[in-house]
Amino acid sequence: MKNITTFRIVCIVVLTMIVSKVCAYDFIYDGIYYRVIKSYNGLTCEVTSGDNKYVGDIIIPEEVTYNNSTLFVTSIGERAFSECSALTSVMIPNTVQEICKGAFYNCSSLRRVTIPNSVTNIGDIAFEYCHSLNDVTIPNLVTNIGVFAFDDCN
């Protein structure tokens, strides 16, 4: 009986850690969730997922204000827009350098994405299962396109 109780507690702790990681964001700015990133250049941020799914047309700004500091948006985080079935278009700013793994995974209504020349990396399964995606231009400076990045797109 003691082993079953211990197992249940471990499962609850692990699930709590997974859920908190999936919805981990530091702040919201104009309806978009962000995570602060510390780098050798100081602080920047990435777009991430949050409590609510993104819908409609999203324009990501080049910079946002957080705690009286201006942060540049430098990446679209892992699974940031994943499973956002009502998302239709996204305009990514010139400050973004990376679109991470699964960033737009299974966004079934996503039709258009503007990827700027600043992007050099598009992660694995970044746009996989975006069945409606029919308007995207991949910049010449992209040096890496991950496995299945555009698999099963229109």
Side-chain angles (χ1 to χ4, degrees), residues 79-122:
R79 300 184 58 80
F81 294 94
S82 178
E83 306 282 344
C84 291
S85 60
L87 181 69
T88 54
S89 73
V90 178
M91 184 177 285
I92 300 171
N94 282 319
T95 52
V96 169
Q97 300 165 2
E98 179 178 23
I99 299 172
C100 296
K101 180 180 181 179
F104 295 92
Y105 176 83
N106 200 22
C107 291
S108 56
S109 298
L110 183 63
R111 294 187 313 265
R112 183 177 61 254
V113 176
T114 303
I115 301 176
N117 287 327
S118 57
V119 172
T120 58
N121 183 53
I122 299 174

Short mmCIF file of all heavy atoms in Angstrom, two decimals, residues 79-122:
data_model
loop_
_atom_site.label_atom_id
_atom_site.label_comp_id
_atom_site.label_asym_id
_atom_site.label_seq_id
_atom_site.Cartn_x
_atom_site.Cartn_y
_atom_site.Cartn_z
N ARG A 79 6.88 25.03 -29.17
CA ARG A 79 5.44 24.81 -29.06
C ARG A 79 4.65 26.07 -28.69
O ARG A 79 3.56 25.99 -28.14
CB ARG A 79 5.14 23.66 -28.08
CG ARG A 79 5.77 22.33 -28.50
CD ARG A 79 5.41 21.16 -27.61
NE ARG A 79 3.99 20.89 -27.52
CZ ARG A 79 3.26 20.22 -28.42
NH1 ARG A 79 3.84 19.76 -29.51
NH2 ARG A 79 1.98 20.01 -28.24
N ALA A 80 5.19 27.24 -28.98
CA ALA A 80 4.56 28.50 -28.61
C ALA A 80 3.12 28.62 -29.13
O ALA A 80 2.22 29.03 -28.41
CB ALA A 80 5.39 29.68 -29.09
N PHE A 81 2.91 28.28 -30.39
CA PHE A 81 1.59 28.38 -31.00
C PHE A 81 0.98 27.00 -31.27
O PHE A 81 -0.04 26.89 -31.95
CB PHE A 81 1.68 29.15 -32.32
CG PHE A 81 2.05 30.60 -32.16
CD1 PHE A 81 3.37 31.01 -32.24
CD2 PHE A 81 1.08 31.55 -31.92
CE1 PHE A 81 3.72 32.33 -32.10
CE2 PHE A 81 1.41 32.89 -31.77
CZ PHE A 81 2.73 33.28 -31.86
N SER A 82 1.59 25.97 -30.78
CA SER A 82 1.17 24.60 -31.05
C SER A 82 -0.31 24.37 -30.72
O SER A 82 -0.79 24.82 -29.68
CB SER A 82 2.03 23.65 -30.23
OG SER A 82 1.63 22.31 -30.43
N GLU A 83 -1.00 23.70 -31.64
CA GLU A 83 -2.40 23.31 -31.45
C GLU A 83 -3.36 24.50 -31.39
O GLU A 83 -4.47 24.38 -30.88
CB GLU A 83 -2.57 22.47 -30.18
CG GLU A 83 -1.67 21.26 -30.09
CD GLU A 83 -2.13 20.07 -30.92
OE1 GLU A 83 -3.29 20.04 -31.35
OE2 GLU A 83 -1.30 19.16 -31.13
N CYS A 84 -2.95 25.65 -31.90
CA CYS A 84 -3.84 26.82 -31.94
C CYS A 84 -4.69 26.73 -33.21
O CYS A 84 -4.35 27.31 -34.25
CB CYS A 84 -3.04 28.12 -31.91
SG CYS A 84 -2.23 28.42 -30.33
N SER A 85 -5.77 26.02 -33.13
CA SER A 85 -6.57 25.69 -34.31
C SER A 85 -7.29 26.89 -34.92
O SER A 85 -7.70 26.84 -36.08
CB SER A 85 -7.59 24.60 -33.98
OG SER A 85 -8.46 25.04 -32.96
N ALA A 86 -7.42 28.00 -34.21
CA ALA A 86 -8.10 29.19 -34.75
C ALA A 86 -7.11 30.28 -35.16
O ALA A 86 -7.52 31.38 -35.53
CB ALA A 86 -9.09 29.73 -33.72
N LEU A 87 -5.82 29.98 -35.13
CA LEU A 87 -4.80 30.93 -35.58
C LEU A 87 -4.79 30.96 -37.10
O LEU A 87 -4.72 29.91 -37.74
CB LEU A 87 -3.44 30.49 -35.04
CG LEU A 87 -2.24 31.37 -35.36
CD1 LEU A 87 -2.35 32.70 -34.63
CD2 LEU A 87 -0.96 30.65 -34.94
N THR A 88 -4.85 32.16 -37.71
CA THR A 88 -4.93 32.24 -39.18
C THR A 88 -3.69 32.84 -39.83
O THR A 88 -3.34 32.46 -40.94
CB THR A 88 -6.17 33.04 -39.62
OG1 THR A 88 -6.16 34.31 -38.97
CG2 THR A 88 -7.44 32.29 -39.28
N SER A 89 -3.01 33.77 -39.16
CA SER A 89 -1.77 34.32 -39.73
C SER A 89 -0.88 34.87 -38.63
O SER A 89 -1.36 35.27 -37.57
CB SER A 89 -2.07 35.42 -40.76
OG SER A 89 -2.51 36.60 -40.13
N VAL A 90 0.43 34.88 -38.92
CA VAL A 90 1.41 35.41 -37.97
C VAL A 90 2.45 36.20 -38.73
O VAL A 90 2.99 35.73 -39.73
CB VAL A 90 2.11 34.28 -37.17
CG1 VAL A 90 3.16 34.85 -36.23
CG2 VAL A 90 1.10 33.46 -36.39
N MET A 91 2.71 37.42 -38.25
CA MET A 91 3.78 38.23 -38.80
C MET A 91 4.90 38.27 -37.76
O MET A 91 4.70 38.72 -36.64
CB MET A 91 3.31 39.65 -39.12
CG MET A 91 4.38 40.49 -39.77
SD MET A 91 3.76 42.13 -40.23
CE MET A 91 2.81 41.68 -41.66
N ILE A 92 6.06 37.75 -38.14
CA ILE A 92 7.21 37.63 -37.25
C ILE A 92 8.16 38.80 -37.53
O ILE A 92 8.48 39.07 -38.68
CB ILE A 92 7.92 36.27 -37.47
CG1 ILE A 92 6.95 35.12 -37.20
CG2 ILE A 92 9.17 36.16 -36.60
CD1 ILE A 92 7.47 33.75 -37.60
N PRO A 93 8.64 39.49 -36.48
CA PRO A 93 9.50 40.66 -36.70
C PRO A 93 10.94 40.31 -37.07
O PRO A 93 11.39 39.17 -36.89
CB PRO A 93 9.46 41.36 -35.34
CG PRO A 93 9.30 40.24 -34.36
CD PRO A 93 8.39 39.25 -35.06
N ASN A 94 11.67 41.33 -37.54
CA ASN A 94 13.06 41.17 -37.97
C ASN A 94 14.04 40.89 -36.85
O ASN A 94 15.21 40.64 -37.11
CB ASN A 94 13.52 42.41 -38.74
CG ASN A 94 13.00 42.41 -40.15
OD1 ASN A 94 12.98 41.37 -40.82
ND2 ASN A 94 12.56 43.56 -40.62
N THR A 95 13.59 40.93 -35.62
CA THR A 95 14.48 40.64 -34.49
C THR A 95 14.55 39.15 -34.17
O THR A 95 15.45 38.70 -33.47
CB THR A 95 14.00 41.40 -33.23
OG1 THR A 95 12.62 41.10 -33.03
CG2 THR A 95 14.20 42.90 -33.38
N VAL A 96 13.62 38.39 -34.71
CA VAL A 96 13.56 36.94 -34.43
C VAL A 96 14.59 36.21 -35.27
O VAL A 96 14.67 36.39 -36.48
CB VAL A 96 12.14 36.38 -34.68
CG1 VAL A 96 12.14 34.86 -34.64
CG2 VAL A 96 11.17 36.94 -33.66
N GLN A 97 15.38 35.36 -34.60
CA GLN A 97 16.44 34.59 -35.26
C GLN A 97 16.11 33.12 -35.38
O GLN A 97 16.71 32.42 -36.20
CB GLN A 97 17.75 34.77 -34.49
CG GLN A 97 18.20 36.19 -34.41
CD GLN A 97 19.27 36.41 -33.36
OE1 GLN A 97 19.72 35.48 -32.69
NE2 GLN A 97 19.69 37.65 -33.21
N GLU A 98 15.17 32.64 -34.56
CA GLU A 98 14.89 31.21 -34.54
C GLU A 98 13.41 30.94 -34.33
O GLU A 98 12.76 31.59 -33.52
CB GLU A 98 15.70 30.56 -33.41
CG GLU A 98 15.46 29.07 -33.29
CD GLU A 98 16.31 28.43 -32.19
OE1 GLU A 98 16.74 29.12 -31.26
OE2 GLU A 98 16.54 27.22 -32.30
N ILE A 99 12.92 29.95 -35.07
CA ILE A 99 11.59 29.40 -34.85
C ILE A 99 11.83 28.00 -34.31
O ILE A 99 12.33 27.13 -35.02
CB ILE A 99 10.77 29.37 -36.15
CG1 ILE A 99 10.59 30.80 -36.68
CG2 ILE A 99 9.42 28.70 -35.92
CD1 ILE A 99 9.97 30.89 -38.06
N CYS A 100 11.53 27.80 -33.05
CA CYS A 100 11.91 26.56 -32.35
C CYS A 100 11.02 25.36 -32.70
O CYS A 100 9.99 25.49 -33.36
CB CYS A 100 11.90 26.79 -30.85
SG CYS A 100 13.14 27.99 -30.31
N LYS A 101 11.42 24.23 -32.20
CA LYS A 101 10.75 22.94 -32.44
C LYS A 101 9.26 23.02 -32.12
O LYS A 101 8.86 23.45 -31.04
CB LYS A 101 11.40 21.87 -31.56
CG LYS A 101 10.80 20.50 -31.70
CD LYS A 101 11.51 19.51 -30.79
CE LYS A 101 10.92 18.13 -30.95
NZ LYS A 101 11.63 17.15 -30.10
N GLY A 102 8.45 22.62 -33.09
CA GLY A 102 7.01 22.54 -32.89
C GLY A 102 6.31 23.86 -32.64
O GLY A 102 5.18 23.87 -32.14
N ALA A 103 6.94 24.96 -32.99
CA ALA A 103 6.39 26.29 -32.68
C ALA A 103 4.97 26.48 -33.19
O ALA A 103 4.13 27.08 -32.52
CB ALA A 103 7.30 27.38 -33.22
N PHE A 104 4.68 25.97 -34.39
CA PHE A 104 3.35 26.11 -34.98
C PHE A 104 2.72 24.74 -35.27
O PHE A 104 1.86 24.62 -36.13
CB PHE A 104 3.43 26.93 -36.27
CG PHE A 104 3.87 28.34 -36.05
CD1 PHE A 104 5.21 28.70 -36.12
CD2 PHE A 104 2.95 29.33 -35.75
CE1 PHE A 104 5.62 29.99 -35.91
CE2 PHE A 104 3.34 30.63 -35.53
CZ PHE A 104 4.69 30.97 -35.61
N TYR A 105 3.15 23.75 -34.56
CA TYR A 105 2.69 22.38 -34.78
C TYR A 105 1.16 22.29 -34.75
O TYR A 105 0.50 22.76 -33.81
CB TYR A 105 3.28 21.45 -33.71
CG TYR A 105 2.81 20.02 -33.79
CD1 TYR A 105 3.39 19.13 -34.67
CD2 TYR A 105 1.77 19.58 -33.00
CE1 TYR A 105 2.96 17.82 -34.75
CE2 TYR A 105 1.32 18.27 -33.06
CZ TYR A 105 1.92 17.40 -33.95
OH TYR A 105 1.47 16.11 -34.03
N ASN A 106 0.59 21.71 -35.80
CA ASN A 106 -0.84 21.42 -35.89
C ASN A 106 -1.73 22.65 -35.72
O ASN A 106 -2.79 22.58 -35.10
CB ASN A 106 -1.23 20.34 -34.88
CG ASN A 106 -2.55 19.66 -35.27
OD1 ASN A 106 -2.96 19.68 -36.42
ND2 ASN A 106 -3.20 19.07 -34.29
N CYS A 107 -1.31 23.76 -36.30
CA CYS A 107 -2.17 24.96 -36.37
C CYS A 107 -2.99 24.82 -37.65
O CYS A 107 -2.61 25.34 -38.71
CB CYS A 107 -1.34 26.22 -36.36
SG CYS A 107 -0.50 26.53 -34.80
N SER A 108 -4.08 24.11 -37.57
CA SER A 108 -4.82 23.66 -38.75
C SER A 108 -5.42 24.78 -39.59
O SER A 108 -5.67 24.59 -40.78
CB SER A 108 -5.91 22.68 -38.33
OG SER A 108 -6.76 23.27 -37.35
N SER A 109 -5.65 25.96 -39.03
CA SER A 109 -6.22 27.08 -39.79
C SER A 109 -5.19 28.11 -40.22
O SER A 109 -5.53 29.10 -40.87
CB SER A 109 -7.31 27.78 -38.96
OG SER A 109 -8.36 26.89 -38.68
N LEU A 110 -3.93 27.88 -39.87
CA LEU A 110 -2.87 28.83 -40.22
C LEU A 110 -2.67 28.86 -41.73
O LEU A 110 -2.34 27.84 -42.34
CB LEU A 110 -1.57 28.45 -39.51
CG LEU A 110 -0.38 29.39 -39.71
CD1 LEU A 110 -0.68 30.77 -39.13
CD2 LEU A 110 0.86 28.79 -39.06
N ARG A 111 -2.90 30.02 -42.33
CA ARG A 111 -2.79 30.17 -43.78
C ARG A 111 -1.52 30.89 -44.22
O ARG A 111 -0.98 30.62 -45.28
CB ARG A 111 -4.01 30.93 -44.33
CG ARG A 111 -5.31 30.20 -44.19
CD ARG A 111 -6.46 30.93 -44.89
NE ARG A 111 -6.50 32.35 -44.59
CZ ARG A 111 -7.25 32.90 -43.62
NH1 ARG A 111 -7.99 32.16 -42.85
NH2 ARG A 111 -7.23 34.21 -43.43
N ARG A 112 -1.09 31.85 -43.40
CA ARG A 112 0.01 32.72 -43.82
C ARG A 112 0.96 33.00 -42.66
O ARG A 112 0.53 33.31 -41.55
CB ARG A 112 -0.55 34.03 -44.36
CG ARG A 112 0.45 34.99 -44.91
CD ARG A 112 -0.19 36.25 -45.50
NE ARG A 112 -0.94 37.01 -44.50
CZ ARG A 112 -2.26 37.08 -44.42
NH1 ARG A 112 -3.02 36.43 -45.28
NH2 ARG A 112 -2.85 37.79 -43.48
N VAL A 113 2.27 32.90 -42.95
CA VAL A 113 3.30 33.26 -41.99
C VAL A 113 4.33 34.11 -42.70
O VAL A 113 4.80 33.74 -43.78
CB VAL A 113 3.99 32.01 -41.38
CG1 VAL A 113 5.12 32.42 -40.46
CG2 VAL A 113 3.00 31.15 -40.64
N THR A 114 4.67 35.23 -42.09
CA THR A 114 5.73 36.08 -42.62
C THR A 114 6.99 35.81 -41.82
O THR A 114 7.06 36.13 -40.63
CB THR A 114 5.34 37.57 -42.52
OG1 THR A 114 4.11 37.77 -43.20
CG2 THR A 114 6.42 38.45 -43.13
N ILE A 115 7.97 35.18 -42.47
CA ILE A 115 9.25 34.87 -41.83
C ILE A 115 10.28 35.89 -42.33
O ILE A 115 10.54 35.96 -43.52
CB ILE A 115 9.72 33.43 -42.16
CG1 ILE A 115 8.67 32.41 -41.69
CG2 ILE A 115 11.07 33.15 -41.52
CD1 ILE A 115 8.99 30.98 -42.06
N PRO A 116 10.87 36.67 -41.43
CA PRO A 116 11.82 37.70 -41.85
C PRO A 116 13.20 37.13 -42.19
O PRO A 116 13.51 35.99 -41.86
CB PRO A 116 11.90 38.61 -40.62
CG PRO A 116 11.67 37.68 -39.48
CD PRO A 116 10.66 36.67 -39.99
N ASN A 117 14.02 37.96 -42.83
CA ASN A 117 15.37 37.57 -43.21
C ASN A 117 16.27 37.30 -42.02
O ASN A 117 17.33 36.70 -42.17
CB ASN A 117 16.01 38.64 -44.10
CG ASN A 117 15.41 38.62 -45.49
OD1 ASN A 117 15.03 37.57 -45.99
ND2 ASN A 117 15.31 39.78 -46.11
N SER A 118 15.90 37.74 -40.84
CA SER A 118 16.72 37.54 -39.64
C SER A 118 16.71 36.09 -39.16
O SER A 118 17.61 35.66 -38.43
CB SER A 118 16.23 38.46 -38.52
OG SER A 118 14.86 38.21 -38.25
N VAL A 119 15.71 35.31 -39.57
CA VAL A 119 15.60 33.92 -39.11
C VAL A 119 16.65 33.05 -39.81
O VAL A 119 16.75 33.06 -41.03
CB VAL A 119 14.18 33.36 -39.37
CG1 VAL A 119 14.12 31.86 -39.09
CG2 VAL A 119 13.16 34.10 -38.50
N THR A 120 17.41 32.31 -39.00
CA THR A 120 18.42 31.40 -39.55
C THR A 120 18.11 29.94 -39.26
O THR A 120 18.70 29.06 -39.87
CB THR A 120 19.82 31.73 -38.98
OG1 THR A 120 19.78 31.62 -37.56
CG2 THR A 120 20.27 33.13 -39.39
N ASN A 121 17.21 29.68 -38.32
CA ASN A 121 16.91 28.31 -37.94
C ASN A 121 15.41 28.10 -37.81
O ASN A 121 14.72 28.86 -37.13
CB ASN A 121 17.59 27.96 -36.61
CG ASN A 121 17.36 26.52 -36.21
OD1 ASN A 121 17.62 25.61 -36.98
ND2 ASN A 121 16.87 26.31 -35.01
N ILE A 122 14.92 27.05 -38.46
CA ILE A 122 13.53 26.62 -38.31
C ILE A 122 13.59 25.20 -37.76
O ILE A 122 14.11 24.29 -38.40
CB ILE A 122 12.77 26.66 -39.66
CG1 ILE A 122 12.74 28.10 -40.19
CG2 ILE A 122 11.35 26.11 -39.49
CD1 ILE A 122 12.15 28.25 -41.58
#
